[in-house]
Amino acid sequence: MRSWPSRGHEITAVTGVLIDSNVILDILNEDAEWYAWSAAQIERLADECMLVVNPIIYSEVSIGFDRIEDLDRALPEEFFRREPLPWEAGFLAGKCFVKYRRSGGARHAPLPDFYIGAHAAISGYALLTRDARRYKTYFPTLELIAP
């Protein structure tokens, strides 16, 4: 399993980037297609700003681990700031889900992407992701870092 580059300093940046689980999984799984892009983005951003994950991202990444201790080593708190979901993000995610359903979306429960996008939007973070299409549609003002 891949380890994260050394930061050399504490997380003190004022601005942050929410890191989508697909980018983290690219690195942890050393994905043949996306590893290089994802690793380069993480290394660049680690020197510029705070890297953030939330419980949904943590949960999505956890699927590949048998023990929470192993997951916590893979997502070290000194590298990734862990934040709860803001209540306002829940409201915004619900509104985006309604728009999704009205435009023909077939899923019956709010998708994790809506919560992730809403968290980044409400907190004023950029979002590092490989799946920009849905975020662009439902969060048009959200700054995306995507291929």
Side-chain angles (χ1 to χ4, degrees):
M1 182 166 295
R2 180 76 177 161
S3 64
W4 303 105
S6 172
R7 289 188 68 122
H9 62 278
E10 292 296 313
I11 298 173
T12 58
V14 175
T15 59
V17 177
L18 194 63
I19 310 299
D20 202 353
S21 54
N22 57 31
V23 173
I24 294 169
L25 291 170
D26 289 345
I27 296 169
L28 294 177
N29 296 329
E30 297 187 18
D31 182 87
E33 183 176 355
W34 290 105
Y35 172 81
W37 182 85
S38 294
Q41 297 305 311
I42 290 282
E43 288 190 38
R44 177 181 66 83
L45 292 167
D47 289 333
E48 297 175 7
C49 60
M50 174 176 57
L51 304 179
V52 181
V53 296
N54 65 30
I56 293 172
I57 295 163
Y58 185 89
S59 175
E60 289 179 332
V61 173
S62 77
I63 293 170
F65 294 86
D66 293 328
R67 298 172 355 112
I68 194 169
E69 295 85 2
D70 297 333
L71 174 60
D72 286 343
R73 275 192 293 281
L75 295 176
E77 290 185 68
E78 58 274 4
F79 195 81
F80 293 100
R81 179 175 172 163
R82 296 178 184 187
E83 288 191 1
L85 287 169
W87 287 100
E88 297 87 351
F91 181 84
L92 180 56
K95 295 302 174 195
C96 291
F97 178 69
V98 168
K99 183 177 178 182
Y100 163 80
R101 292 288 294 162
R102 287 183 179 155
S103 66
R107 298 210 181 178
H108 295 286
L111 300 170
D113 290 348
F114 289 126
Y115 289 109
I116 291 168
H119 181 183
I122 292 296
S123 298
Y125 296 148
L127 177 64
L128 176 62
T129 185
R130 282 193 292 99
D131 184 22
R133 191 180 102 246
R134 180 174 294 131
Y135 294 114
K136 284 180 186 177
T137 300
Y138 295 99
F139 303 96
T141 62
L142 181 60
E143 180 182 348
L144 296 174
I145 303 166

